[in-house]
Amino acid sequence: MKSNFDRCMNEVFAHEGGYVNDPHDTGGETNMGISKRAYPHEDIKGMTRARAAEIYRRDYWDAVRGDDLPFGLDLCAFDGAVNSGVSRGAKWVQQALGVEADGKIGPATLAAARSTYVPAAIQRAVAFRTSFLKQLPGWAHFGNGWASRMKAVEAEALSMAIPDHGPPVRPDV
């Protein structure tokens, strides 16, 4: 299967932005989504796009088996992992596929992903993730940005899954 990492990485970079040190962000000093809290030995302020992509591929993309998931679901799992942790990113996709949500993408998840209507699974995964985010204390401060990110990720994931046909009619999720 051809890797969709670069396209997914571009979507993550579009939302993560550049260097910030927001006192409301528990990650502290952050650049392109890479935080000093998670990576205390990295030069956060001097982080390059190439170094950030290397970290994202190793610690997030590979952890959610991005190369093994169908296009679109790979973005849902990856962006969820970046934003809320690898286990949560995996769980939202697993819930959307109706398999045990253990936070580890394995054979059962991959089999379900290959045998499902991917656009509907994308919409369900985004709905599960959005519901989770709305319950966080940070929603009051970051909610508008998170909601915007969810809409953009869903649109991009759907365009990956059905590139020539436009988005499907949204089923009840």
Side-chain angles (χ1 to χ4, degrees):
M1 177 185 264
K2 186 176 184 320
S3 180
N4 198 28
F5 175 75
D6 290 337
R7 186 169 175 190
C8 291
M9 189 69 260
N10 285 336
E11 183 69 16
V12 168
F13 278 144
H15 299 291
E16 289 297 344
Y19 179 82
V20 293
N21 197 358
D22 186 332
H24 294 101
D25 188 341
T26 58
E29 184 183 22
T30 305
N31 196 354
M32 292 174 274
I34 306 295
S35 73
K36 191 67 163 177
R37 180 173 152 215
Y39 294 92
H41 302 294
E42 290 288 339
D43 174 11
I44 300 300
K45 197 164 196 173
M47 178 75 56
T48 66
R49 192 172 168 106
R51 178 65 181 143
E54 182 181 303
I55 291 168
Y56 279 131
R57 180 183 286 277
R58 180 193 70 215
D59 295 348
Y60 299 89
W61 179 262
D62 290 346
V64 298
R65 298 190 58 182
D67 285 335
D68 299 322
L69 288 168
F71 285 12
L73 276 180
D74 55 358
L75 175 59
C76 289
F78 178 52
D79 190 70
V82 166
N83 196 229
S84 297
V86 170
S87 178
R88 282 194 186 105
K91 285 178 182 178
W92 292 319
V93 168
Q94 291 171 320
Q95 288 175 297
L97 293 170
V99 299
E100 180 185 356
D102 64 2
K104 296 176 184 159
I105 304 285
T109 304
L110 295 174
R114 286 189 294 272
S115 66
T116 195
Y117 181 60
V118 172
I122 288 167
Q123 292 169 328
R124 287 190 301 270
V126 170
F128 286 126
R129 182 175 170 194
T130 302
S131 177
F132 170 84
L133 292 173
K134 285 181 176 180
Q135 296 174 23
L136 295 177
W139 184 261
H141 184 76
F142 297 110
N144 288 340
W146 290 346
S148 176
R149 182 178 186 151
M150 293 302 86
K151 288 178 186 172
V153 166
E154 181 178 57
E156 181 64 10
L158 288 170
S159 77
M160 292 172 177
I162 47 174
D164 298 325
H165 305 291
V169 175
R170 186 181 177 102
D172 290 333
V173 291

